[in-house]
Structure formats: C-alpha cells, structure tokens
Amino acid sequence: MGWKIRQIEFEIKEYEYVKEFRISLGGSTRTRNIEITLTLDDGTVGKGEASTSFSIAGELKESSLGFADTVREIVVGEDVRNYRKIFDKLDFALRKAMALKAGVQGAIIDALTKKLGIKMFQFFGGAKNVIETDITIGIESKEEAVKDAKEYIDKGFNMIKAKVGVNWREDAERILAIYDVIKPRGMIVDANQGFSVKEAIMFADVLYREGVNVAIFEQPVKATDIDGLKEVRRSVKFPVAADDAVFSRYDALRLIKEGAVDFINIKLMKSGVSDALAIVEMAKSANVGLMIGCMAESSLGISLSVHFAAGTGAFTYHDLDSFQLHKEEFRGDFKWEGNKYYLE
Ligand code: MN
C-alpha cells in the first residue's frame, strides 16, 4: 500500500545570486526554478527541482510548465517502484523539457527512497559518501576574479572553474592572474561555446606555455560544431570536454563515436536521471572521462546531483556549486563545509 502517485504539483521559486553571474552567453542576477512536489497515496512526499536554461537549452519556465498536464497524465496512479516504466514515458514526452524531466524523475526517486528507507545515494549505488566540488568564477574584471579566487582558496577549494569565451586575449590574461594566486591547484576553463576553433587553440596555447594546470577545457566551440570540437581536441594539450553539446544519451553516443571528447560534463538538468545514467555507463565503457555540473539549482535541486554523483562514484570532477552562489536557506539532504559534501 501507498506506493502509487496521487498528485504532482509545480511551483515557481525565485533565488537571488550573491552577485551577478556572467558567462559568455549572458549574465543573471536571479534565477527562477520550478519546484516539484509529488505525493504518494499514503502521504509520502517527494521533492524535485527544475532549473531551466534558456541560453544553453532553449527552455523557458513557461514552456516547461506547459507540460504539467502531460506529466500528470503519465505519473498519477503509477507505482513508484516501477520507476523505469515511468521514466521511459517521460524520456519521450519531455524530450524538449529536460530540466522538468530531471525534476520529476528526482521527485519520484525521492519518494521511492523515502518509502524504501534508503538514501538516494544508496539507490544510485552507494559508491562514495563524500565528494569534493569546485567553485565557479564568472566573467568579471581581472581584479575581482583574483579577489574571488583568493577567497575561495582560503575557504579550502582545490579546484577553481572560470568562465571564459568572450575575448581570448583578455580571458587568457585573467586566467593567468587567477592561476598566479591558486597554483599549483587545478583549473577548469569553460568557454560556453564562445570561441572559434582558432581562438580556442590560441587561448589554450597561452595557458599551456605559461604552465597553467588546466584539468579540463570545457565546450570551447559552438555546441553544434562537432568537427570544430574534434579539431580543438586534437590541437590542444588539455583534456577537452563537451557540455552544452550533450543533452541526451544520443548526443553522448555521437560525440564518443566521432572521437570528439576527452570528457563529458553531465548535468541532470540537461539529461534527467535516466539519460544521465545511460551516459555514465556509455562513457565508462568508452574510456571517456566524466564531470558533473549544474545549472542554477538551489540546494534542493543540487541535492539530487550530489546523491547521483556520490552514488555512482563515476565523476573525476564535481562542479556542484550553484546554491553556494545564491542567497538561500539550505535545504539539501547532505552536509557540507566549503568544498566537501558529505552523505550519510
Ligand atoms: Mn559548462
């Protein structure tokens, strides 16, 4: 008794950033996420969150909420123990609303694991119970970026991710200045599609010559430019990752087949839980590395990714810092201190 989904509700919640967060595709001072509340017929509640991204995924809150009745038709009356059956239907119905799919699937797993009396990270495999995240510095002045980098190092972070992709010379200068205060710790640089192939190569060359420890060069060129990504991968010394180019398992399959990537950045908001699980197994089979990232999830939404990452134990790098950049009250199902997230 009590395993069937009685109702599912959607509500918009707004979060303010501590300061404006800027990437090559634009800036924001706040985010509005869709919070999902699913109730089983015994009253058990599962929570999930969808953080849509217009600039990366082309999703709007409004277009995603347009699928509310479709989701209700699929999930209401279903037994959460048969989650694969529900997920398969959501994979099809929400193929243009990936963040919503992630939120709904997350709410289903939250309810299922509460009923089972296990934690979500155990549901995903229980591989680890502690993970370490990086922290992201947006596109800002060199002086401000250096100040932020120092502050994060003082807080114990061992990996700094920095957004680039606007002007490769200025970007390189800023990265060198950041590295100067964080070395020999590692950096992830993320262009969010902002460079041409040549700019990406020139940018990476400067960093390589100056000895910057770049763990990953993320999405240097347009998401649609697979040939360009391959060329960058062949020409630069650093591991190259696809992020904005990978949503479904089929995107991952194509990039792996083409030999276009060293790493894939999985985000539940792009793939949902179902495609993220498929990409994990595919990448491991193909010897492609994995990192996990986020959109603008609050601590509620990031909690699912923290459990997914720890449970699968599949990721070399974790970029699960979004809630740390918000002004919000912590609601995640994990403990944290600086860069360490603990599951128990
Ligand atoms: Mn990225």
Side-chain angles (χ1 to χ4, degrees):
M1 245 304 278
W3 299 86
K4 282 193 175 156
I5 299 167
R6 186 170 72 203
Q7 64 173 28
I8 184 162
E9 287 164 306
F10 307 89
E11 187 192 352
I12 292 192
K13 288 265 175 89
E14 187 170 309
Y15 299 91
E16 218 182 308
Y17 282 95
V18 174
K19 65 174 185 177
E20 188 192 27
F21 184 63
R22 181 158 285 278
I23 69 172
S24 69
L25 297 164
S28 28
T29 54
R30 69 197 176 105
T31 184
R32 286 158 69 228
N33 296 342
I34 302 170
E35 194 159 311
I36 295 145
T37 307
L38 175 143
T39 312
L40 304 185
D41 56 15
D42 71 347
T44 304
V45 169
K47 296 286 281 184
E49 184 184 45
S51 179
T52 53
S53 163
F54 178 69
S55 65
I56 291 170
E59 292 173 318
L60 294 174
K61 247 71 56 195
E62 294 75 11
S63 59
S64 298
L65 283 174
F67 288 98
D69 285 339
T70 307
V71 171
R72 264 186 211 107
E73 274 168 36
I74 291 172
V75 307
V76 171
E78 290 293 341
D79 186 322
V80 284
R81 288 172 296 189
N82 305 331
Y83 67 90
R84 174 60 76 175
K85 180 177 147 195
I86 312 171
F87 283 12
D88 283 349
K89 287 183 184 163
L90 293 171
D91 280 339
F92 178 76
L94 300 183
R95 64 199 183 281
K96 297 290 178 195
M98 297 72 77
L100 188 72
K101 183 177 95 171
V104 173
Q105 292 183 338
I108 289 171
I109 293 168
D110 188 32
L112 172 62
T113 51
K114 277 179 183 155
K115 285 282 286 178
L116 290 170
I118 62 170
K119 289 290 185 175
M120 289 195 292
F121 81 99
Q122 296 171 317
F123 171 84
F124 289 121
K128 295 179 182 171
N129 54 16
V130 54
I131 58 171
E132 188 178 325
T133 186
D134 66 14
I135 189 124
T136 306
I137 297 175
I139 292 170
E140 49 191 39
S141 74
K142 191 165 82 178
E143 292 69 30
E144 208 175 347
V146 166
K147 189 174 135 260
D148 285 349
K150 279 184 185 155
E151 191 184 315
Y152 293 142
I153 292 308
D154 286 344
K155 284 185 179 161
F157 285 89
N158 292 310
M159 178 70 73
I160 299 290
K161 170 162 165 171
K163 294 289 189 178
V164 296
V166 175
N167 173 316
W168 74 268
R169 289 175 206 273
E170 283 175 21
D171 289 336
E173 249 183 64
R174 189 172 66 257
I175 296 300
L176 294 179
I178 293 173
Y179 189 65
D180 206 42
V181 298
I182 71 153
K183 64 191 172 192
R185 297 173 187 83
M187 290 194 75
I188 293 174
V189 290
D190 185 1
N192 284 105
Q193 317 179 46
F195 290 141
S196 68
V197 170
K198 286 186 179 178
E199 288 166 344
I201 294 168
M202 291 187 287
F203 168 78
D205 276 353
V206 173
L207 269 47
Y208 184 74
R209 273 190 275 113
E210 298 293 331
V212 180
N213 176 12
V214 175
I216 298 212
F217 185 10
E218 229 184 288
Q219 199 62 54
V221 297
K222 288 260 183 301
T224 45
D225 187 6
I226 296 179
D227 287 336
L229 190 61
K230 279 165 79 167
E231 200 176 332
V232 174
R233 185 191 175 209
R234 274 196 300 262
S235 308
V236 310
K237 301 282 200 286
F238 306 123
V240 168
D243 174 11
D244 312 21
V246 182
F247 289 85
S248 72
R249 65 194 79 184
Y250 310 106
D251 300 328
L253 178 62
R254 180 161 179 215
L255 287 167
I256 290 170
K257 268 181 157 174
E258 294 257 1
V261 288
D262 297 295
F263 273 81
I264 289 174
N265 185 351
I266 292 181
K267 290 177 184 160
L268 296 182
M269 290 300 138
K270 295 183 300 175
S271 307
V273 172
S274 49
D275 278 84
L277 282 169
I279 296 169
V280 162
E281 299 307 333
M282 203 188 301
K284 281 161 78 176
S285 309
N287 267 316
V288 163
L290 287 168
M291 67 178 283
I292 185 164
C294 56
M295 295 295 189
E297 293 98 306
S298 73
S299 51
L300 169 71
I302 219 71
S303 195
L304 177 65
S305 294
V306 170
H307 281 260
F308 183 91
T312 59
F315 300 93
T316 309
Y317 305 109
H318 306 88
D319 174 30
L320 299 175
D321 60 351
S322 56
F323 74 96
Q324 295 202 30
L325 310 178
H326 295 163
K327 296 178 190 165
E328 62 161 270
E329 209 172 292
F330 183 73
R331 293 191 293 158
D333 183 22
F334 61 95
K335 293 208 161 60
W336 70 285
E337 209 187 336
N339 63 333
K340 296 270 198 343
Y341 296 165
Y342 304 94
L343 293 301
E344 51 191 35

